[in-house]
Amino acid sequence: MKLQKMQRLVIAALFTAIVCVATFIVKIPSPATNGYFNLGDCFVLLSGWLLGPVYGTLAAGLGSALADILSGYAQYAPATFIIKALMAVAAFLLYKAMASKPFIAKLIGGFAAESIMVLGYFGYEAVILQYGLAAAGSIFSNVMQGIVGIAAAISVATAIEKNKTLRSFFIKR
């Protein structure tokens, strides 16, 4: 039992780092709101689907917020932590609820999670950062980021689930 918990903790730490790096490495600025497009959503979704609601949520939220801080976008870190954590939870819960149809479950879970991201950042930028309607300038890039994230996450998750060795490291549903 202790070995399983240690394995999950190590994999969650690894996913935290992967989320951070994927978010940090590819950054395409969104001039309207000073935010940026990134590839971290792929691993945010994977964190939820593969690690579950506790470890996946922490990996997604911490990795993404850390990337914001390291990238000079510290003003986004609190919102990012909450938004990305909620994304991982939503992705996991919908996947679990529809586990008998894994592809559809990932697709619907991914779209729900990415909707949280688009609406979450719009609300944060409009209200907290006080960009008002100028926050709408980030919607298109966030939607594109979400689509890319869903496609990449489904591809990677499918490959992992087909590999018995890799699959054994992740939580059992």
Side-chain angles (χ1 to χ4, degrees):
M1 186 66 165
K2 285 185 181 183
L3 180 61
Q4 271 187 333
K5 284 186 180 184
M6 182 60 77
Q7 281 180 331
R8 286 186 190 164
L9 185 60
V10 169
I11 292 170
L14 178 63
F15 261 82
T16 301
I18 291 170
V19 168
C20 181
V21 169
T23 304
F24 184 78
I25 296 295
V26 177
K27 289 184 298 216
I28 301 169
S30 174
T33 61
N34 295 322
Y36 61 95
F37 173 93
N38 66 76
L39 297 178
D41 283 7
C42 168
F43 298 98
V44 166
L45 295 173
L46 284 169
S47 293
W49 293 333
L50 300 174
L51 300 176
V54 176
Y55 292 105
T57 296
L58 290 173
L62 288 173
S64 299
L66 183 58
D68 278 351
I69 292 166
L70 294 173
S71 299
Y73 292 91
Q75 72 274 22
Y76 280 91
T80 293
F81 178 82
I82 293 166
I83 291 166
K84 300 300 181 171
L86 289 173
M87 287 173 64
V89 169
F92 171 78
L93 292 174
L94 288 166
Y95 182 79
K96 186 176 180 181
M98 300 183 293
S100 63
K101 297 178 181 179
F103 178 79
I104 299 296
K106 289 179 202 138
L107 193 60
I108 291 173
F111 276 109
E114 296 300 343
S115 296
I116 290 169
M117 185 265 294
V118 171
L119 294 172
Y121 281 119
F122 174 74
Y124 183 74
E125 291 167 346
V127 177
I128 303 299
L129 296 182
Q130 299 181 345
Y131 293 157
L133 290 179
S138 69
I139 291 174
F140 179 75
S141 63
N142 282 340
V143 168
M144 292 297 103
Q145 176 177 304
I147 291 168
V148 170
I150 292 167
I154 288 173
S155 298
V156 174
T158 301
I160 289 172
E161 290 169 348
K162 288 182 179 183
N163 183 304
K164 288 181 183 179
T165 304
L166 291 176
R167 185 177 59 224
S168 69
F169 285 104
F170 297 103
I171 64 167
K172 309 291 186 269
R173 285 181 215 6

